[in-house]
Amino acid sequence: MPLKSPAPVPTAPEKSPGSQQPGQIRLAVTHSLPAVLGVIPMGLAFGVLVTQSGLQWWWATVFAAVVFAGSLEFLLIGLVTVMAPLSQVAVTAFLVNFRHVFYALSFPLHRIHGPVAKTYSTFALTDEAWALTTAPEAQSWSRRRILAIQATFQLNWVGSVTLGALGGTLVPDSIVGLQFAVTAFFLVLAIDAFRVTRSVPPPLVAVASALAGYALFGTQMLVPALTVFTGYLLVRYALGRRKEGRNV
């Protein structure tokens, strides 16, 4: 009579390495802290700029919480104060945030389960969150940790913007130069980007696009200039991919 093999002993399902890590929220906050320290001054400056643009302080909180798009929020201040057409606002938002199309190719959205969580993660996808969650060491991070990183950035952004707006109400109107703060801010970012890439054509094309847009469209130059520059970047990217394919 053949012997029966012993019944297999049930084992607990294996957990992913990310889910075994304790304190996912605490780890997310700790890992985000260096980048958050860079976000807070920007938020304070944005809050001050909102109140100095003639808007009520609470508009800064609305922008930060609902729009939550970094550089686009700075541009929206000017568009809102001059009551720009909704079509121009929509096109500007599309061009400024078009880079998020490429972010989605590498962002670990497949690890975010549930429609509500996926919707929030898509909404809260920022440059800083993308940079942290696509790093090599982040490949095993859990859903909770990824979401906690995104929520950390949003909470700190909304808080710093609100504080800046409340503090901006105390800044006398006689102080001049705050209107140039956004221009100076983006100029510094452009200089830092050039120091990293050392690529000459993009900044030259950006300046040429701005000058051509202003010459042709005057104060309505933003959308045409961004369109031309975005087209240049797409063509440059396509040519670079083709060159890499030939070298393989």
Side-chain angles (χ1 to χ4, degrees):
M1 182 177 180
L3 298 176
K4 294 182 179 180
S5 58
V9 178
T11 58
E14 293 185 2
K15 297 181 179 180
S16 63
S19 62
Q20 295 176 349
Q21 300 177 7
Q24 295 296 298
I25 296 178
R26 177 179 57 82
L27 290 173
V29 173
T30 302
H31 199 84
S32 306
L33 186 58
V36 166
L37 293 178
V39 168
I40 291 177
M42 293 170 52
L44 294 173
F46 177 73
V48 172
L49 187 63
V50 168
T51 57
Q52 292 298 309
S53 298
L55 299 174
Q56 295 294 325
W57 69 268
W58 50 267
W59 274 110
T61 306
V62 172
F63 278 129
V66 177
V67 180
F68 190 47
S71 55
L72 176 61
E73 294 178 42
F74 283 88
L75 294 175
L76 280 180
I77 296 178
L79 296 175
V80 170
T81 53
V82 300
M83 301 184 67
L86 186 59
S87 58
Q88 183 177 354
V89 175
V91 173
T92 302
F94 174 77
L95 293 174
V96 172
N97 285 341
F98 186 74
R99 67 188 186 279
H100 286 254
V101 174
F102 302 100
Y103 285 177
L105 299 177
S106 54
F107 183 74
L109 189 62
H110 61 280
R111 274 185 264 152
I112 309 297
H113 305 293
V116 176
K118 279 185 178 292
T119 300
Y120 174 75
S121 185
T122 303
F123 162 74
L125 177 56
T126 60
D127 299 348
E128 297 82 4
W130 176 83
L132 290 179
T133 56
T134 56
E137 64 270 15
Q139 300 308 307
S140 62
W141 287 359
S142 66
R143 163 186 178 270
R144 176 173 294 187
R145 187 169 181 177
I146 295 172
L147 290 173
I149 286 176
Q150 293 182 279
T152 298
F153 281 117
Q154 186 178 20
L155 289 174
N156 280 276
W157 176 253
V158 174
S160 59
V161 166
T162 302
L163 287 177
L166 292 173
T169 59
L170 304 177
V171 178
D173 295 335
S174 58
I175 295 180
V176 297
L178 288 177
Q179 294 83 355
F180 187 72
V182 176
T183 304
F185 167 71
F186 284 109
L187 182 61
V188 170
L189 291 181
I191 293 174
D192 287 342
F194 175 75
R195 289 176 177 174
V196 173
T197 61
R198 294 294 179 180
S199 180
V200 176
L204 293 181
V205 173
V207 173
S209 300
L211 293 176
Y214 183 77
L216 295 174
F217 300 95
T219 57
Q220 305 297 319
M221 48 79 66
L222 181 60
V223 171
L226 284 175
T227 302
V228 172
F229 185 65
T230 301
Y232 160 76
L233 292 178
L234 291 175
V235 171
R236 186 170 181 261
Y237 175 79
L239 293 176
R241 294 285 294 181
R242 182 180 300 179
K243 184 178 180 180
E244 290 178 0
R246 293 176 178 174
N247 294 334
V248 174

